[in-house]
């Protein structure tokens, strides 16, 4: 071997050493996505482990999903683009084929030397992620789905009344009596812990996304958590019926809840029937117990994480209504359906509460900046044509995290589709071809203004002149959205100001 070859080998070792050194200084990411966790859950029941992380993190108290439905919300977050930019309002299309080959959050980290892992539900499964959870674009390895997930809607819920197992909504269980003697989120926990404790992976940066299934329905969770939510402490909704001022198009019939065996037996009239109060209490108790179960799993994850080396994000794909205004589940532009927890822990950032409105699609540019992956300013997406450059419909939240008191925008935009102004069987989840109306909503610190307008699902044209309902809520005076004040004279100038802001932002 001549001296030239020796020099090449030494140079290669030096370059590889430099790469390792650079990798060792990169912060890893633990991204935790909880399914259907409403923002107020930690106030309604003590989520100890989430609260402990929040005390040492930046917590956004006014964070909102772009659409209160799993596939559009998750795809929006993971691409940094709005449902309108993705043309995705249901769960039946794949953005790379239908709109553009947009880069995703984990894909971008992967391209910067991270090993990326998906555990549980991160992308919505099915066609909206190409039946692969967007593998291999987004992930270094095949995404993991817990084997017992196949029993998600199986008749495994003990039913004392019928003395048999049913497909119930309320489903506290003995874990040892379940198929496989476990539950999906427990399996995801074990898989994620193995990744976090893998010594080989400690030598390189990782992006670990963990998607927890509960408190998504059915409310199936270890029975012991029910004892932590005393029935006597459950509070009934302030407004358990549809408010008189709510436009009919804003209402949804929560069909998936009605179809569960225990709720179906109640024979609640479609589409406007109201949940009996006894069952309102039962469902709320089980929802909070399921949230406590997930909080325990998050605590087990965080115990394996060195917070000096990790950025940690905890959020949800959207919220969940618990009988407020007679509505359940998501499927609306209500604060209860759109507002989510958002906690970001990043080494070097002081704990802080931020009440300016932010959006889930802000997470992508925020993590890019926190991880120092891109030092140039990432532009807003000017059009759908440019699919190669990294661009976002959202904004980085890092300035706010540093204490900037003058954020660039102080509102959040959300939307929800409807097939008709009259609630019907597919009002909750209309397919694209059936969408005739789109409800666009702007949320400031104090107000939410919504217009339900005509929408052409073939051309994606918005018809502002076709109005099917208008809503305006003042959260300072009415935090439960019990009074639609858009016709009150004292709100007239505010209404037109918000209308102008909404229409200029939704183009």
């Amino acid at each position: 071997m001549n001296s030239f070859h020796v020099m090449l080998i030494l140079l290669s070792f030096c370059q590889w050493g430099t790469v390792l050194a650079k990798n060792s200084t990169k912060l890893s990411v633990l991204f935790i996505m909880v399914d259907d966790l409403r923002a107020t859950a930690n106030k309604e029941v003590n989520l100890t482990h989430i609260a402990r992380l929040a005390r040492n993190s930046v917590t956004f108290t006014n964070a909102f999903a772009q659409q209160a439905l799993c596939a559009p919300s998750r795809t929006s977050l993971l691409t940094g683009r709005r449902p309108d930019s993705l043309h995705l309002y249901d769960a039946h299309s794949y953005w790379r084929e239908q709109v553009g080959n947009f880069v995703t959050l984990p894909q971008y980290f992967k391209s910067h030397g991270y090993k990326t892992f998906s555990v549980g539900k991160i992308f919505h499964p099915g066609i909206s992620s190409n039946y692969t959870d967007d593998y291999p674009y987004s992930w270094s390895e095949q995404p993991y789905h817990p084997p017992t997930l196949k029993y998600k809607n199986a008749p495994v819920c003990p039913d004392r009344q019928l003395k048999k197992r049913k497909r119930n909504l309320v489903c506290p269980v003995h874990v040892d009596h379940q198929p496989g003697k476990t539950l999906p989120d427990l399996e995801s926990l074990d898989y994620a812990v193995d990744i976090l404790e893998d010594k080989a992976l400690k030598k390189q940066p990782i992006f670990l996304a963990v998607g927890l299934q509960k408190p998504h329905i059915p409310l199936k969770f270890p029975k012991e958590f029910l004892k932590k939510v005393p029935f006597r402490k459950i509070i009934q909704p302030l407004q358990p019926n549809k408010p008189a001022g709510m436009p009919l198009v804003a209402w949804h019939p929560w069909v998936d809840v009605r179809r569960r065996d225990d709720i179906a037996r109640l024979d609640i009239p479609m589409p406007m029937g109201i949940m009996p109060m006894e069952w309102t209490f039962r469902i709320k108790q089980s929802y909070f117990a399921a949230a406590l179960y997930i909080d325990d799993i998050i605590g087990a994850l965080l115990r394996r994480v060195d917070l000096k080396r990790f950025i940690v994000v905890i959020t949800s794909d959207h919220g969940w209504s618990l009988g407020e205004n007679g509505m359940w589940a998501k499927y609306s532009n209500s604060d209860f359906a759109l507002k989510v927890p958002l906690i970001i822990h990043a080494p070097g950032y002081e704990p802080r509460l931020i009440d300016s409105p932010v959006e889930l699609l802000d997470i992508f540019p925020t993590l890019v900046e926190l991880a120092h992956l891109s030092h140039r300013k990432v532009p807003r997406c000017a059009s759908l044509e440019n699919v190669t450059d990294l661009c976002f419909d959202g904004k980085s939240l890092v300035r706010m995290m540093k204490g900037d008191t003058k954020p660039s925008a102080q509102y959040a935009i959300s939307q929800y589709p409807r097939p008709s102004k009259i609630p019907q069987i597919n009002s909750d989840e209309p397919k694209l071809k059936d969408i005739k109306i789109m409800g666009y909503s702007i949320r400031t610190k104090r107000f939410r203004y919504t217009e339900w307008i005509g929408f052409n699902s073939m051309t994606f044209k918005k018809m502002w002149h076709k109005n099917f309902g208008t809503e305006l809520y003042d959260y300072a005076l009415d935090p439960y959205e019990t009074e639609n004040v858009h016709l009150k004279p004292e709100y007239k100038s505010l209404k037109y100001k918000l209308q102008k802001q909404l229409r200029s932002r939704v183009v």
Side-chain angles (χ1 to χ4, degrees):
M1 184 181 296
N2 60 36
S3 58
F4 177 72
H5 286 112
V6 172
M7 285 180 64
L8 282 178
I9 293 172
L10 289 172
L11 181 60
S12 296
F13 274 118
C14 289
Q15 290 174 333
W16 179 242
T18 301
V19 169
L20 287 177
K22 286 183 179 178
N23 279 342
S24 67
T25 61
K26 286 182 178 178
L27 292 170
S28 289
V29 178
L30 173 61
F31 179 78
I32 301 174
M33 173 87 86
V34 186
D35 207 339
D36 290 15
L37 184 65
R38 58 195 257 146
T40 55
N42 196 39
K43 295 179 181 178
E44 295 159 315
V45 64
N46 186 17
L47 303 179
T48 308
H49 304 289
I50 293 176
R52 182 180 299 124
L53 181 71
R55 286 194 294 271
N56 296 288
S57 307
V58 178
T59 301
F60 296 87
T61 59
N62 272 315
F64 297 92
Q66 274 45 76
Q67 186 179 325
L69 187 66
C70 293
S73 176
R74 289 168 182 266
T75 309
S76 174
L77 186 161
L78 291 162
T79 60
R81 299 173 188 246
R82 298 189 184 281
D84 275 349
S85 297
L86 299 164
H87 294 171
L88 181 65
Y89 315 101
D90 56 21
H92 302 289
S93 67
Y94 181 43
W95 80 93
R96 293 192 191 274
E97 294 178 352
Q98 298 299 319
V99 185
N101 194 27
F102 302 145
V103 173
T104 71
L105 170 59
Q107 181 182 3
Y108 193 67
F109 273 75
K110 182 182 175 186
S111 72
H112 282 75
Y114 281 69
K115 193 157 188 180
T116 57
F117 300 92
S118 175
V119 178
K121 184 179 177 182
I122 297 300
F123 281 99
H124 192 275
I127 194 172
S128 62
S129 57
N130 201 34
Y131 299 99
T132 63
D133 291 7
D134 200 46
Y135 175 82
Y137 294 102
S138 290
W139 310 109
S140 302
E141 295 185 359
Q142 284 273 4
Y144 171 80
H145 291 287
T148 60
L149 190 60
K150 63 186 175 184
Y151 304 112
K152 174 183 176 182
N153 291 310
V156 296
C157 310
D159 193 306
R160 288 180 295 176
Q161 184 175 340
L162 297 179
K163 296 183 179 179
K164 62 188 296 188
R165 296 189 179 273
K166 300 290 287 181
R167 295 181 180 88
N168 286 346
L169 177 73
V170 174
C171 188
V173 299
H174 291 289
V175 174
D176 289 345
H177 298 168
Q178 290 297 294
K181 296 185 176 182
T182 188
L183 291 172
D185 287 324
L186 296 175
E187 292 179 297
S188 291
L189 170 63
D190 290 341
Y191 196 91
V193 166
D194 286 345
I195 293 172
L196 289 169
E197 294 185 342
D198 188 327
K199 292 182 179 178
L201 291 175
K202 294 184 185 296
K203 298 177 181 178
Q204 69 175 104
I206 66 170
F207 183 101
L208 171 59
V210 181
L212 300 173
Q213 301 280 337
K214 299 302 149 187
H216 191 288
I217 62 174
L219 298 171
K220 188 191 312 177
F221 54 90
K223 194 170 186 177
E224 57 266 27
F225 286 94
L226 209 56
K227 298 175 184 176
K228 299 182 179 182
V229 190
F231 203 77
R232 67 183 183 278
K233 291 189 176 182
I234 304 297
I235 301 171
Q236 77 172 54
L238 179 68
Q239 170 59 273
N241 301 297
K242 175 185 172 294
M246 176 190 288
L248 205 54
V249 69
W251 175 271
H252 66 90
W254 34 277
V255 172
D256 194 19
V257 170
R258 294 173 188 268
R259 285 176 174 165
R260 304 290 165 165
D261 288 344
D262 49 355
I263 306 304
R265 288 203 302 267
L266 303 176
D267 200 23
I268 302 169
M270 271 285 293
M272 305 300 295
I274 300 298
M275 185 75 68
M277 192 53 65
E278 178 190 351
W279 276 91
T280 293
F281 278 65
R282 286 192 194 183
I283 298 169
K284 290 185 74 172
Q285 182 189 33
S286 286
Y287 179 90
F288 295 139
L292 285 167
Y293 161 52
I294 291 304
D295 182 63
D296 253 27
I297 289 176
I298 289 174
L301 280 172
L302 293 177
R303 284 194 291 274
R304 272 79 174 190
V305 171
D306 179 358
L307 294 178
K308 295 178 181 177
R309 295 195 311 110
F310 271 82
I311 299 166
V312 179
V313 178
I314 298 178
T315 192
S316 178
D317 51 355
H318 43 69
W320 217 75
S321 295
L322 285 169
E324 293 89 4
N325 300 325
M327 294 197 292
W328 293 88
K330 45 247 187 180
Y331 315 126
S332 79
N333 279 326
S334 163
D335 247 34
F336 299 103
L338 286 168
K339 198 172 185 179
V340 295
L342 177 56
I343 300 166
I344 302 178
H345 172 87
Y349 286 79
E350 295 295 322
R352 194 183 306 276
L353 289 176
I354 297 175
D355 63 357
S356 294
V358 300
E359 304 173 291
L360 283 184
L361 52 78
D362 297 333
I363 291 175
F364 191 163
T366 300
L367 287 180
V368 167
E369 186 171 353
L370 286 175
H372 306 293
L373 300 189
S374 176
H375 292 287
R376 72 179 181 87
K377 182 175 174 59
V378 180
R380 292 290 180 95
C381 298
S383 72
L384 295 180
E385 305 303 319
N386 191 352
V387 299
T388 54
D389 283 353
L390 190 65
C391 63
F392 302 114
D393 287 333
K395 61 189 179 298
S396 172
L397 305 176
V398 171
R399 284 176 56 196
M400 291 190 197
M401 294 175 67
K402 290 178 177 178
D404 189 337
T405 57
K406 295 180 180 179
S408 57
Q410 298 191 43
Y411 54 82
I413 305 292
S414 304
Q415 61 190 102
Y416 208 86
R418 293 279 189 250
S420 167
K421 66 178 181 180
I422 306 297
Q424 53 191 45
I425 195 74
N426 66 335
S427 288
D428 294 347
E429 299 184 65
K431 293 182 178 179
L432 178 62
K433 66 181 179 63
D434 297 320
I435 296 171
K436 304 290 189 297
I437 299 168
M438 189 69 72
Y440 286 101
S441 191
I442 183 169
R443 178 62 153 87
T444 68
K445 242 187 231 188
R446 179 171 171 175
F447 302 99
R448 178 180 294 284
Y449 174 76
T450 304
E451 285 190 65
W452 296 90
I453 64 169
F455 185 81
N456 188 318
S457 61
M458 298 294 291
T459 64
F460 303 97
K461 182 180 178 181
K462 306 162 188 67
M463 292 169 276
W464 295 101
H465 63 284
K466 290 188 177 181
N467 184 283
F468 296 92
T470 302
E471 298 175 88
L472 177 61
Y473 299 103
D474 182 345
Y475 293 98
L477 303 177
D478 178 28
Y480 293 94
E481 302 175 356
T482 63
E483 184 180 15
N484 181 7
V485 298
H486 87 99
L487 291 177
K488 286 196 169 187
E490 59 265 39
Y491 289 94
K492 184 177 180 180
S493 61
L494 172 73
K495 172 185 171 180
Y496 288 119
K497 177 183 176 183
L498 292 174
Q499 181 186 75
K500 184 178 179 181
Q501 285 182 330
L502 176 65
R503 294 186 181 191
S504 66
R505 192 64 185 89
V506 177
V507 292

